[in-house]
Amino acid sequence: MNDYVLELKDLSVSFYTKKGEIEAVRGVNLTLEKGEILCIVGESGCGKTVMCQSIMHLLPSYGKIKQGSIKACNVDITNYNEKQMRTMRGKRMSMVFQDPLTTLNPTIPIGKQITEAILKHKKISKSDAKKRAIELMELVGIRNAEERYKLQPHFFSGGMRQRCVLATALASEPDILFADEVTTALDVTVKAMVLDLLKEIREKTGVAIVFVTHDFGAASRIADKIAVMYAGKIIEIGTKEEVFNTPLHPYTWGLLGALPSLALKTGRLQSIPGMPPSLLNPPKGDAFAVRNKYALAIDYEEVPPMFKVSPTHFAATWLLDKRAPKVERPIVLNREC
């Protein structure tokens, strides 16, 4: 038996709308090991959040898992109904969203909300649950937790609210924590603190984390492994060192070239031309081809397979085919990110 707490095989998710079928996630294969931090990186609309929602079975009514399988904690949950998923959500998997105010009840004290989450999943007394809630508040870096236990969310800053949501998500000691753009609305200093907090929580609890972001800088600070997503597909995956030091897909080159840290060294901020394609009618071949100045003729005809470069590093680009011409990655990426 492997150490995977999450395993996706050929996962495809579609939204069925009045305009037609939107193929939001297309044939994703992914694994997450116990205690690992996996960052899913890509532009808005590439399918990152939908993939996580499908795992948690939180898709809207017009969304459906079209094919593939989802195995969490060695259990196949692909076809679980809502009643069955209640045994997984919270107990085995938790999710933290971008805006803490959409998660927290503005009228109920923070501590009581965390306590209620504990009581829902653990058979302990109210007094023990309160003690555990205070411990969790301290774990996520809320000082004077006992005094702040009785305060409503509006007494906390944005960063502190996000910490409170993290405490609630950790109430049942889950195996997997999904963190969906949790640092997007935070300033640079608070963002760094939350990222460091997530790493600290992983070290103290052993929870595996799926961190969804469009910010490669955030991924560089927290990730063990990085998966780059585009147009519903994983187009490159590897360890943090592999993806940053030897990126293989032109889309990854573009994302790295847009890092502000590189702009400070080169004097200019790079951008990727064009827009992601509509997934109402996905393009033939490589979805990135029309934005890719390195595209080959075959990119417009056939979807590239995942080429294996190392046991942990894969990329879906025809540039890795042995018949492809040699292309040097942009010189700017040879600088330290």
Side-chain angles (χ1 to χ4, degrees):
M1 185 178 295
N2 57 44
D3 290 328
Y4 298 149
V5 291
L6 180 66
E7 189 173 7
L8 310 182
K9 289 186 177 180
D10 198 29
L11 179 67
S12 293
V13 179
S14 288
F15 292 142
Y16 296 89
T17 70
K18 292 180 179 179
K19 292 184 178 181
E21 179 185 352
I22 299 174
E23 299 177 29
V25 176
R26 304 188 295 153
V28 166
N29 293 284
L30 204 61
T31 59
L32 178 70
E33 296 182 13
K34 183 177 180 181
E36 182 177 53
I37 299 180
L38 167 66
C39 284
I40 312 293
V41 183
E43 292 168 285
S44 296
C46 70
K48 307 184 299 295
T49 296
V50 173
M51 182 180 70
C52 294
Q53 289 176 337
S54 66
I55 297 167
M56 294 285 288
H57 285 239
L58 293 175
L59 291 170
S61 58
Y62 53 89
K64 181 182 178 181
I65 296 173
K66 188 177 180 180
Q67 68 178 41
S69 64
I70 304 169
K71 185 179 285 188
C73 305
N74 290 312
V75 177
D76 190 329
I77 63 171
T78 313
N79 298 312
Y80 265 27
N81 58 34
E82 180 60 24
K83 184 178 180 180
Q84 291 172 311
M85 278 307 299
R86 289 193 197 119
T87 66
M88 296 296 292
R89 292 196 210 108
K91 290 184 179 180
R92 309 304 299 269
M93 303 185 293
S94 288
M95 193 166 186
V96 179
F97 299 94
Q98 179 176 336
D99 184 2
L101 285 180
T102 61
T103 304
L104 297 169
N105 188 318
T107 65
I108 300 177
I110 287 290
K112 187 176 180 180
Q113 295 187 53
I114 300 171
T115 300
E116 287 177 349
I118 295 169
L119 289 171
K120 186 170 182 63
H121 298 292
K122 292 187 175 294
K123 294 181 179 180
I124 59 176
S125 67
K126 288 186 177 180
S127 61
D128 286 341
K130 180 178 179 180
K131 289 178 183 177
R132 179 58 182 158
I134 292 171
E135 289 174 359
L136 285 170
M137 290 174 72
E138 292 172 343
L139 173 67
V140 298
I142 298 175
R143 296 178 182 177
N144 304 316
E146 196 164 351
E147 290 80 3
R148 292 183 171 183
Y149 180 91
K150 297 180 180 180
L151 298 179
Q152 282 90 357
H154 65 266
F155 286 99
F156 294 79
S157 66
M160 282 295 157
R161 289 182 196 130
Q162 200 61 279
R163 290 169 186 261
C164 294
V165 174
L166 273 171
T168 306
L170 294 169
S172 59
E173 301 174 9
D175 298 287
I176 308 168
L177 175 66
F178 294 93
D180 186 9
E181 299 279 12
V182 296
T183 60
T184 297
L186 305 177
D187 63 52
V188 175
T189 303
V190 177
K191 178 188 292 188
M193 292 172 65
V194 171
L195 291 172
D196 290 342
L197 172 63
L198 286 170
K199 289 196 294 184
E200 184 179 339
I201 288 171
R202 186 270 300 269
E203 295 302 321
K204 289 182 177 179
T205 67
V207 65
I209 299 174
V210 178
F211 184 81
V212 173
T213 184
H214 62 269
D215 182 356
F216 241 124
S220 70
R221 191 178 185 100
I222 193 175
D224 296 316
K225 185 167 69 179
I226 294 176
V228 181
M229 199 165 185
Y230 184 77
K233 288 180 171 286
I234 299 294
I235 52 91
E236 182 164 1
I237 188 167
T239 65
K240 177 175 70 175
E241 292 75 20
E242 286 171 332
V243 173
F244 271 88
N245 296 335
T246 56
L248 299 170
H249 199 287
Y251 180 62
T252 311
W253 297 349
L255 291 178
L256 288 171
L259 280 173
S261 58
L262 281 176
L264 289 173
K265 296 174 182 178
T266 63
R268 61 189 177 89
L269 188 64
Q270 292 188 330
S271 63
I272 304 174
M275 296 288 290
S278 167
L279 295 180
L280 190 60
N281 294 296
K284 185 179 180 181
D286 187 350
F288 187 60
V290 294
R291 305 174 70 188
N292 179 12
K293 69 177 183 180
Y294 305 99
L296 307 172
I298 194 174
D299 282 305
Y300 296 92
E301 298 296 328
E302 295 184 31
V303 177
M306 269 289 194
F307 289 93
K308 181 178 179 180
V309 180
S310 79
T312 53
H313 197 183
F314 300 80
T317 170
W318 285 113
L319 293 176
L320 293 176
D321 190 283
K322 61 182 180 180
R323 298 165 294 178
K326 296 295 181 183
V327 173
E328 294 293 330
R329 63 180 178 158
I331 191 67
V332 68
L333 297 183
N334 291 327
R335 300 169 182 261
E336 182 181 353
C337 295

